[in-house]
Amino acid sequence: MQIWEKLLEKAFGGQDVAAAPDVKKENIWPLAPAVAGSTMICEKFSEEVNNATTSNKHITWLFLVGSAGNGKSELAKLVADATNGKLEDYNSKYAQRKYRYQVESGVSLDIINDATIPPEVKDNNSGFLLNDIYESIDKKSYLLGCINRGILLKEKKHIIDNLAERNDIEDLACELIDFLLESENEYKAVHINDNYHKVTYFNNASFEHDGFSITVNVIYMDQASLLEDEVIHQFLEHEEGHSPVELGKYKVRLFEKNSLDRKQTPAFKLATNVVSLVDKDTKWQDSEIQSPLQANLEFFREEKLLNGWLNILRSAEICSGSRYTYRDLWGILVLSLVGTFRSEYRKTSNTGGYVNPKEWVDALVNKVEMGGTLEDVSTLANMRIHMSIFGEDPIYASTHSKENAESGFSAIKSLLRVDPISDSTPDSEVAVAVKDAMDALAYDDLPSSYLFTPESGYEKAWTVFDSWVERKVIDAIKETKKDNERRQYEAWLGRYLYRLYALASGHPAFFKVVKEWVEAWNRANENRDLQDVLTLGLEQLISGSLKSTSRDSILLPVLSPKADVFTDMSSQPYLALKIPSVFSFLPRNQGDHVIIAINNQNNPVAKVPLDFPLCREILVNSNPEPGFTELSHLASPRIERVRAAMLTDNYVKASDEQGMRRHDLVVMHSGNNPISIYTKEG
Amino acid sequence: MSRTDFFELDRPEYIVSPELYQVVLAWDIVGKKPVEDKSIGYVFRRDLVTTDPKKVKIRRMSPLDKPYEEKKRLYNHIIPENSNNYGNRQVIGDAIFSSIEGIKSSKSVSQCSVPINSYSSLLQDIRGVTGKDRPANLSKIINTMFDLGGEPYDYTASELWWKNITSDESQEWLQWIENSLSAENINNDFSLKKLISECDDKSLYQNIGCPLWMASINEGTPFSWFREAWTRLCSDEWYRGLPRRRWNDWASCVLRTAVGLGYLWEMHFYTRLVEGLVIDGANPVDIVRNATTTSVGLLSWSTESTISSRDVSSYIIQITNQGTSARNMINSLVKEDIFPSMNEEKYTSSDNGLVEWVQDCSNHISKEIKKRLSETKGKGKVSGAKNTGETIRYALLCRDPFGINADYYGLLNKRGSRYTVVEPSSEWIVVISSLLSRKPNETVRMEDVVRSLISLGLKPDYNTLVHELEKAGLTRRSHDADEALEIATGF
């Protein structure tokens, strides 16, 4: 099968299936390291299994927890392949829930490959994972478990509903489920290793059973990004067959202009390996017009441009608050190389499969060479990387629309959010550069010649194909007699240039918001305070309109439905509590997330996740002239609840106990000075 | 247990003010008001231009509506300290009473005070607020619904609520307000202080229990949801973890949601039960499943279809007509001894009791009975159904989306003059999802929210639900989470 057809299998909604330990499917694609250094840990695990002896009283278990497409099954296959063992009782051609290997050394290894598949023999509808755990405990097997979080929740529910009375082994298994869910329980049988409690992608515990000691490692594969540097672990000397691990640190790279370097990331490795494979396998036809697919491949050959692409992907992760799985990355890579998946790529015959997209595009190129319309130019242009990943933008659409995007996939939706077009404010250097370049049209000059210059460093992003598109559109601009058409073509060309320039330079929409978020993550990682700009904005958001005249306290309406000041409320007097306000904001990491702990006079008020809507809202409020954004409605309920939290009995009691505050009940009335009803000295 | 129908739920009447749901609980504890003239009704505020109802003598309790001299006397009495001139006292007094004003819909003439403590709860009663001399017994309805939520419980819904609002550990400023409201001359007819201090903190309501088959419905019911949410809300953790007014607003929200969706469930139950009984050879297990299931979604909730297809007002009218008619028919057949009484212990004390009852009824369905049962469908307007329909509608409807007394806790919203759609006000989903947690500052999971909505008879599509939760600032969409998506509690 041609490589381009194979690529389509990896597209969003493609027919590629997950790996399984036993499936000897031909895999032509290179593999890249799994998230959070889990590949290393799995390799070490296989080594331990192979070196184990039946006299060992120590067994290791490893759980990989995360969502579908994270590469768990690939890791399970890796472990199965690396283990010198024989598969027991195997008679299915389909991927199974669980496999048992008899290792040469005499020990056994259980692999739960896909906990979402129910077992072939079942008495119940749930509790399967518990059964697997009982069995591995009972048989004293090594265990590798690939588990989705949803499954853990189901098991937990099964425990609550059906296992009120439990025997010892059930108790143990239930505690293990709690441990995997990171529940803050009192553990009796399972001993949790505190050394790892700061590492959110890893956990370690141990328990004893029947003279055996079992160490349980768990990697949370959804807590780290594939677009950040690979985590490298160190393994210490073997201790009776198992190797304690010194975990590598997960870091989020600072987001600075001109310092893009994502070479050490798993995503970089995947993209470069895939592209070199496609490159090797592809011959391009000689034609006047370059194929947009060829232009896309050229983009990936340049390390600098590839870093820009990865930067955009990472900012999309940050703005959407989620992390791409390998399945997502593959989908985006195919989208970037081939363009939006077209219905024409699907074979109509019963056998299914895909036509070769490169040949399909080549045919279209040939047709256009014979004399194509501007619409054909637009169709080809929309196959370019910078047009497909941010949503197609046909030149004849009445307005700039993203309806053509395959918006059913949330990974694509997240990319639309960072479309550079949606943030072309005058303070964006990229926007200014493109706007200036577009002035060239007035002098009969090419805008691209001002943007993609050796000085800018992005000349390689501009291909023969792009020059052809630019020429065709400028011809259309010159030819048209209609002002509105001219404006439409000019605007489209501006967007085409803007998206490519921003992608090449790794400059997403809301660059500043992403930059500050990353800064906050790093400060949290180093136990430092929140940066000034966010501190200022957050304080302004919480207390801005409620500041008392003395500025050192806020006035919270105590009995209104919301802890806000309503404009029409000022017409009648109302009761308010005057609360001294000395806020401090401490950022904390939770995997790839940032949580801000808000304290007032050192008394905890609330914890709020710093996500994109809130970060953006804070930034627009860090200026002397506060503003609002289209996402204010998502951030303001949380801010209101932060204020309201200062009115709860729990908060007042805690601050009273600390003797730190003084709160007065006052009456607010028509803009006059508040009337104090009583003063409570702390 | 003495039942004349399955649930012993009185027929309800439209409830004018969300706070009234709590007010009736307070009266359920303190008992009848100690006045001889039973036609007196108390109301916190009522439009001054509105004429009083014929059979109720209205007493307006808020000083804001009293003549200057009377108000002055009152304020001088209740605000003895801190200010020398009456000007300040008037501002302070007005601030207290305007701060405790509850929600008022634009068409309503009455307004309750927010029941932040026992005194402010008793500044009105149901007769005064509704203007009816014989209003439906709302506290009995609420307590019955609480009973129907599961196994026997040590407290009634009223008692759980009362325990909190009379707890004396509240913040000092709340005690200051309580002291002000406890002044003798706020109510000249009788002493609120005496009434409160002499009550035994016990409900007037007598428990009737819950049939075992009902407590065993897997998906849950609006009643089981109510039991759980109310018990949590009335726990010390949540009472201390919410601002006082917010706790009261959440309490009204839970009560309105339970009453509105509880009656909807009841109407759905009777409708589907009768529909099943008239099908020849229908399996009783299937009949029962159809009658009790909520997983189909009792109200349509999606943002992805047109407004007209999302309209629920005509459905509420239709189901209450058919449900009331079906209920009447079942009850008369029981009274006529054609159907066995659902009250018999063999039915009420078995998980399978309803299936057995249906099985036993099926043996008595002659052609004539079948005809009578069939005629309950398509009967058009049925007496009493309108009240039930209005109760459901107005319990759930957002009373006023804007302004100082805005309602943030409705489930339904009006779209133009014709349509009413499921479109929760901003805080509704906050209450529903937060009360899945035993205490504040925790997280719950998407799966729990979905399950609890199903027990209420609501089945929004995934995107709609995530959108609601995002709007409330409780979660962020994450494509890698699905059912494990974490939802923060509101506080």
Side-chain angles (χ1 to χ4, degrees):
Chain A
M1 194 190 259
Q2 292 283 333
I3 197 113
W4 287 88
E5 290 158 64
K6 294 285 280 179
L7 264 182
L8 288 184
E9 286 184 353
K10 293 281 193 181
F12 287 110
Q15 292 163 350
D16 194 39
V17 289
D22 58 300
V23 177
K24 302 283 181 244
K25 198 184 72 165
E26 178 208 12
N27 183 19
I28 63 158
W29 299 115
L31 293 177
V35 76
S38 32
T39 310
M40 294 177 79
I41 292 179
C42 284
E43 283 165 353
K44 204 70 196 171
F45 177 74
S46 317
E47 203 178 293
E48 265 188 61
V49 175
N50 285 331
N51 294 337
T53 61
T54 44
S55 60
N56 266 12
K57 290 289 178 196
H58 190 108
I59 294 172
T60 305
W61 286 6
L62 175 61
F63 286 95
L64 307 173
V65 174
S67 58
N70 246 327
K72 297 189 295 295
S73 298
E74 283 292 351
L75 289 173
K77 189 166 163 35
L78 182 147
V79 170
D81 290 348
T83 305
N84 309 320
K86 195 178 152 223
L87 193 54
E88 272 185 7
D89 303 334
Y90 186 69
N91 58 3
S92 172
K93 60 178 177 173
Y94 300 110
Q96 289 193 133
R97 173 187 178 81
K98 189 174 169 182
Y99 302 82
R100 164 156 297 163
Y101 289 84
Q102 206 54 54
V103 185
E104 280 173 7
S105 57
V107 300
S108 55
L109 164 69
D110 293 341
I111 296 183
I112 304 167
N113 172 52
D114 185 347
T116 56
I117 303 175
E120 284 176 5
V121 184
K122 53 176 184 173
D123 307 325
N124 245 322
N125 278 324
S126 52
F128 308 140
L129 182 59
L130 283 168
N131 285 335
D132 292 333
I133 292 175
Y134 303 151
E135 219 174 88
S136 297
I137 293 178
D138 190 41
K139 302 226 157 134
K140 301 181 179 69
S141 302
Y142 280 72
L143 172 66
L144 171 70
C146 303
I147 321 279
N148 285 22
R149 279 186 191 265
I151 292 291
L152 290 174
L153 290 174
K154 277 205 179 111
E155 295 295 306
K156 177 77 188 171
K157 184 173 179 290
H158 175 83
I159 293 168
I160 293 167
D161 293 349
N162 303 305
L163 288 175
E165 287 174 20
R166 308 192 276 254
N167 60 30
D168 285 354
I169 205 160
E170 284 169 339
D171 249 344
L172 197 53
C174 294
E175 280 200 5
L176 279 171
I177 299 288
D178 273 328
F179 160 70
L180 293 174
L181 275 170
E182 300 170 278
S183 309
E184 285 178 13
N185 281 8
E186 252 185 54
Y187 293 89
K188 289 176 195 149
V190 173
H191 170 73
I192 296 178
N193 187 345
D194 290 338
N195 291 344
Y196 298 109
H197 86 271
K198 278 191 173 167
V199 187
T200 43
Y201 68 83
F202 185 85
N203 223 338
N204 170 279
S206 58
F207 65 91
E208 308 276 331
H209 180 75
D210 199 14
F212 273 74
S213 130
I214 301 180
T215 299
V216 187
N217 292 324
V218 49
I219 307 173
Y220 296 101
M221 298 184 66
D222 47 7
Q223 291 290 318
S225 171
L226 289 165
L227 293 146
E228 296 295 347
D229 287 1
E230 194 186 343
V231 179
I232 310 284
H233 308 300
Q234 303 287 331
F235 294 92
L236 309 177
E237 286 294 302
H238 281 218
E239 279 179 12
E240 207 194 310
H242 84 113
S243 315
V245 56
E246 202 166 275
L247 292 171
K249 277 199 173 151
Y250 173 67
K251 287 183 200 146
V252 173
R253 271 192 173 268
L254 285 175
F255 230 71
E256 295 292 349
K257 200 169 171 279
N258 302 327
S259 66
L260 311 178
D261 179 7
R262 298 199 180 267
K263 242 189 337 218
Q264 300 306 323
T265 64
F268 184 97
K269 291 178 184 168
L270 178 79
T272 43
N273 292 343
V274 170
V275 166
S276 72
L277 201 68
V278 175
D279 241 352
K280 210 168 68 188
D281 239 34
T282 310
K283 273 202 178 120
W284 298 103
Q285 61 178 4
D286 279 335
S287 64
E288 190 194 333
I289 308 170
Q290 188 187 30
S291 163
L293 274 46
Q294 190 178 357
N296 291 343
L297 265 182
E298 279 182 20
F299 184 95
F300 279 98
R301 282 191 211 118
E302 280 303 311
E303 189 181 307
K304 185 174 186 174
L305 303 179
L306 179 51
N307 274 325
W309 179 78
L310 292 166
N311 228 37
I312 296 286
L313 264 55
R314 178 62 179 141
S315 56
E317 279 191 337
I318 291 170
C319 291
S320 66
S322 53
R323 282 142 304 281
Y324 295 136
T325 60
Y326 263 120
R327 196 169 292 170
D328 295 325
L329 274 184
W330 264 107
I332 297 170
L333 184 58
V334 176
L335 182 67
S336 305
L337 285 171
V338 185
T340 308
F341 191 97
R342 308 184 155 269
S343 52
E344 293 96 329
Y345 294 162
R346 224 178 270 283
K347 274 185 186 161
T348 46
S349 64
N350 290 341
T351 51
Y354 305 107
V355 301
N356 184 331
K358 177 187 164 290
E359 284 171 8
W360 190 89
V361 177
D362 283 347
L364 183 63
V365 167
N366 290 339
K367 189 187 131 201
V368 175
E369 238 172 6
M370 310 284 286
T373 63
L374 192 60
E375 200 165 356
D376 293 330
V377 176
S378 159
T379 306
L380 287 171
N382 272 299
M383 291 175 184
R384 276 289 273 140
I385 177 170
H386 58 290
M387 300 304 270
S388 55
I389 66 167
F390 297 126
E392 286 197 356
D393 181 9
I395 198 165
Y396 280 121
S398 53
T399 52
H400 171 231
S401 122
K402 289 177 176 173
E403 280 168 4
N404 288 329
E406 290 168 272
S407 50
F409 294 96
S410 47
I412 298 186
K413 276 188 194 162
S414 62
L415 279 167
L416 303 187
R417 171 165 270 173
V418 292
D419 178 0
I421 300 290
S422 52
D423 180 26
S424 38
T425 47
D427 60 350
S428 153
E429 282 175 40
V430 177
V432 172
V434 177
K435 188 183 160 292
D436 290 349
M438 286 299 286
D439 289 344
L441 285 177
Y443 310 105
D444 215 5
D445 211 346
L446 297 173
S448 62
S449 62
Y450 293 86
L451 284 173
F452 300 96
T453 57
E455 295 79 48
S456 76
Y458 305 121
E459 76 278 16
K460 292 274 173 62
W462 191 254
T463 61
V464 176
F465 173 81
D466 300 312
S467 293
W468 172 77
V469 171
E470 186 181 37
R471 225 172 33 245
K472 286 285 177 191
V473 177
I474 291 177
D475 288 349
I477 292 170
K478 284 181 186 160
E479 279 164 24
T480 182
K481 301 274 186 292
K482 295 178 185 162
D483 266 1
N484 61 340
E485 266 186 10
R486 185 176 46 76
R487 278 196 299 272
Q488 190 177 340
Y489 300 157
E490 280 179 7
W492 186 88
L493 183 61
R495 294 198 292 272
Y496 188 87
L497 290 162
Y498 189 4
R499 279 173 157 190
L500 183 56
Y501 191 69
L503 178 65
S505 55
H507 193 101
F510 315 113
F511 181 87
K512 198 174 169 211
V513 181
V514 179
K515 183 171 175 282
E516 293 300 340
W517 184 91
V518 171
E519 169 75 23
W521 191 96
N522 277 285
R523 281 171 173 262
N525 201 34
E526 293 153 15
N527 281 329
R528 288 161 65 202
D529 285 347
L530 200 61
Q531 61 265 44
D532 288 350
V533 66
L534 294 188
T535 301
L536 261 171
L538 196 49
E539 187 162 4
Q540 169 73 16
L541 264 181
I542 294 172
S543 55
S545 56
L546 301 161
K547 276 273 182 209
S548 72
T549 44
S550 57
R551 313 293 300 169
D552 60 354
S553 52
I554 54 172
L555 292 154
L556 284 180
V558 281
L559 286 174
S560 65
K562 296 262 178 125
D564 280 323
V565 171
F566 297 100
T567 44
D568 54 353
M569 203 162 166
S570 51
S571 60
Q572 54 182 336
Y574 63 93
L575 295 172
L577 209 57
K578 189 173 176 187
I579 297 175
S581 56
V582 185
F583 290 111
S584 58
F585 307 105
L586 293 171
R588 291 280 171 266
N589 286 145
Q590 212 174 68
D592 204 39
H593 297 281
V594 182
I595 312 286
I596 300 179
I598 301 175
N599 293 343
N600 187 15
Q601 292 196 308
N602 296 326
N603 193 19
V605 177
K607 286 178 187 160
V608 288
L610 180 72
D611 54 12
F612 175 69
L614 183 62
C615 197
R616 184 139 183 254
E617 195 70 9
I618 292 173
L619 282 174
V620 297
N621 278 280
S622 60
N623 304 317
E625 295 291 325
F628 61 90
T629 72
E630 81 283 1
L631 299 173
S632 294
H633 67 287
L634 298 181
S636 56
R638 270 184 281 162
I639 294 298
E640 188 274 329
R641 285 195 285 269
V642 170
R643 288 187 210 115
M646 287 182 276
L647 294 172
T648 62
D649 284 3
N650 282 347
Y651 175 80
V652 172
K653 198 174 154 202
S655 53
D656 278 353
E657 276 168 9
Q658 288 189 4
M660 284 189 175
R661 64 192 292 276
R662 207 195 71 199
H663 54 273
D664 307 340
L665 185 64
V666 298
V667 170
M668 308 295 293
H669 60 121
S670 312
N672 297 311
N673 281 336
I675 302 171
S676 181
I677 295 179
Y678 75 80
T679 298
K680 152 94 176 128
E681 290 291 341
Chain B
M1 195 185 286
S2 69
R3 292 178 187 282
T4 54
D5 80 355
F6 280 107
F7 312 113
E8 196 80 346
L9 278 171
D10 285 4
R11 290 307 86 195
E13 280 168 353
Y14 149 63
I15 293 123
V16 278
S17 144
E19 288 81 12
L20 190 56
Y21 291 90
Q22 289 174 80
V23 167
V24 296
L25 300 183
W27 286 103
D28 180 47
I29 299 289
V30 297
K32 293 196 167 70
K33 57 193 169 219
V35 286
E36 280 187 19
D37 185 352
K38 298 298 176 201
S39 66
I40 293 175
Y42 298 95
V43 60
F44 183 63
R45 296 192 81 172
R46 183 179 164 93
D47 287 357
L48 292 167
V49 290
T50 318
T51 50
D52 283 358
K54 279 181 193 159
K55 294 184 178 169
V56 181
K57 289 179 193 150
I58 294 290
R59 295 266 208 279
R60 291 175 173 78
M61 302 302 288
S62 169
L64 299 170
D65 297 328
K66 299 208 168 169
Y68 178 77
E69 281 306 317
E70 197 181 328
K71 188 158 113 172
K72 187 172 174 181
R73 262 200 313 279
L74 180 68
Y75 284 173
N76 280 340
H77 181 65
I78 67 173
I79 310 161
E81 295 167 22
N82 290 71
S83 56
N84 303 323
N85 63 64
Y86 177 65
N88 270 3
R89 284 188 179 182
Q90 185 183 11
V91 175
I92 295 170
D94 283 357
I96 296 173
F97 289 96
S98 61
S99 290
I100 60 170
E101 272 175 18
I103 291 167
K104 182 174 183 290
S105 73
S106 50
K107 286 183 184 164
S108 165
V109 294
S110 307
Q111 193 171 11
C112 286
S113 56
V114 181
I116 52 165
N117 54 41
S118 48
Y119 292 95
S120 107
S121 316
L122 297 168
L123 289 176
Q124 56 269 304
D125 66 2
I126 191 164
R127 184 171 286 145
V129 178
T130 59
K132 290 179 177 162
D133 66 331
R134 294 182 64 192
N137 189 342
L138 180 58
S139 65
K140 185 174 168 222
I141 289 170
I142 292 170
N143 282 308
T144 307
M145 285 191 170
F146 188 74
D147 259 3
L148 291 169
E151 306 279 312
Y153 200 67
D154 292 343
Y155 300 97
T156 66
S158 315
E159 287 162 359
L160 282 176
W161 178 83
W162 183 257
K163 177 175 66 71
N164 280 314
I165 61 147
T166 52
S167 69
D168 48 14
E169 282 179 36
S170 53
Q171 302 169 43
E172 283 173 59
W173 64 269
L174 277 158
Q175 286 165 14
W176 184 87
I177 293 175
E178 187 165 323
N179 287 341
S180 308
L181 295 176
S182 68
E184 288 298 337
N185 57 347
I186 287 186
N187 187 334
N188 292 320
D189 292 346
F190 59 90
S191 162
L192 277 178
K193 209 173 213 167
K194 190 160 173 271
L195 189 68
I196 292 164
S197 64
E198 286 178 359
C199 82
D200 61 358
D201 301 335
K202 292 272 180 258
S203 188
L204 292 175
Y205 170 79
Q206 295 295 314
N207 284 24
I208 56 152
C210 170
L212 205 55
W213 59 261
M214 195 160 173
S216 335
I217 297 172
N218 256 344
E219 295 159 4
T221 61
F223 313 117
S224 64
W225 171 84
F226 174 42
R227 170 78 75 90
E228 194 173 302
W230 192 248
T231 322
R232 289 205 173 139
L233 180 68
C234 292
S235 68
D236 204 46
E237 283 84 0
W238 276 108
Y239 189 65
R240 306 273 163 228
L242 289 172
R244 186 52 41 86
R245 165 76 191 257
R246 199 70 62 110
W247 187 84
N248 280 110
D249 287 349
W250 283 31
S252 294
C253 174
V254 171
L255 293 168
R256 312 160 54 173
T257 304
V259 168
L261 293 173
Y263 275 110
L264 188 72
W265 186 91
E266 188 211 28
M267 292 291 100
H268 177 268
F269 170 85
Y270 279 110
T271 305
R272 301 288 170 255
L273 187 64
V274 166
E275 279 175 0
L277 284 170
V278 297
I279 298 172
D280 288 331
N283 181 346
V285 175
D286 293 338
I287 298 177
V288 168
R289 194 183 304 117
N290 284 340
T292 55
T293 187
T294 45
S295 62
V296 286
L298 303 186
L299 289 175
S300 118
W301 180 4
S302 166
T303 45
E304 290 172 1
S305 45
T306 60
I307 295 287
S308 59
S309 65
R310 289 163 53 199
D311 178 50
V312 295
S313 45
S314 48
Y315 171 73
I316 292 174
I317 294 169
Q318 180 244 320
I319 194 87
T320 44
N321 275 312
Q322 200 175 332
T324 307
S325 171
R327 176 178 178 270
N328 293 345
M329 181 54 64
I330 296 262
N331 289 355
S332 15
L333 290 170
V334 170
K335 269 186 204 148
E336 292 167 36
D337 283 335
I338 295 167
F339 280 178
S341 165
M342 57 286 270
N343 186 22
E344 286 178 32
E345 194 170 337
K346 66 167 176 169
Y347 302 128
T348 56
S349 57
S350 152
D351 281 354
N352 213 26
L354 184 59
V355 173
E356 285 166 27
W357 183 86
V358 169
Q359 179 76 59
D360 292 347
C361 289
S362 304
N363 300 333
H364 298 94
I365 299 183
S366 62
K367 255 191 180 169
E368 189 217 328
I369 301 298
K370 193 172 167 184
K371 186 165 171 265
R372 284 173 68 187
L373 285 167
S374 304
E375 279 170 1
T376 59
K377 195 172 181 179
K379 257 197 149 181
K381 283 186 186 169
V382 178
S383 165
K386 191 176 172 208
N387 274 342
T388 310
E390 284 185 344
T391 304
I392 296 170
R393 179 184 166 83
Y394 289 104
L396 303 176
L397 188 68
C398 168
R399 309 313 294 271
D400 195 347
F402 307 110
I404 185 168
N405 291 318
D407 177 5
Y408 298 104
Y409 299 90
L411 170 65
L412 305 179
N413 204 354
K414 278 176 79 169
R415 283 296 196 95
S417 56
R418 264 179 87 182
Y419 301 120
T420 302
V421 296
V422 177
E423 200 171 74
S425 312
S426 59
E427 296 294 299
W428 187 86
I429 195 72
V430 180
V431 179
I432 304 299
S433 55
S434 298
L435 290 179
L436 289 167
S437 162
R438 285 177 204 285
K439 52 182 201 248
N441 293 319
E442 297 275 309
T443 50
V444 297
R445 300 252 166 54
M446 188 63 163
E447 192 199 21
D448 306 322
V449 181
V450 170
R451 220 175 26 240
S452 116
L453 289 174
I454 284 180
S455 69
L456 281 168
L458 298 166
K459 205 180 174 191
D461 55 70
Y462 184 80
N463 281 340
T464 303
L465 184 54
V466 175
H467 179 66
E468 286 300 329
L469 291 161
E470 279 188 326
K471 245 184 5 187
L474 300 179
T475 195
R476 287 301 315 284
R477 194 181 297 261
S478 171
H479 68 277
D480 45 12
D482 294 335
E483 285 179 330
L485 189 67
E486 290 195 335
I487 322 282
T489 51
F491 284 86

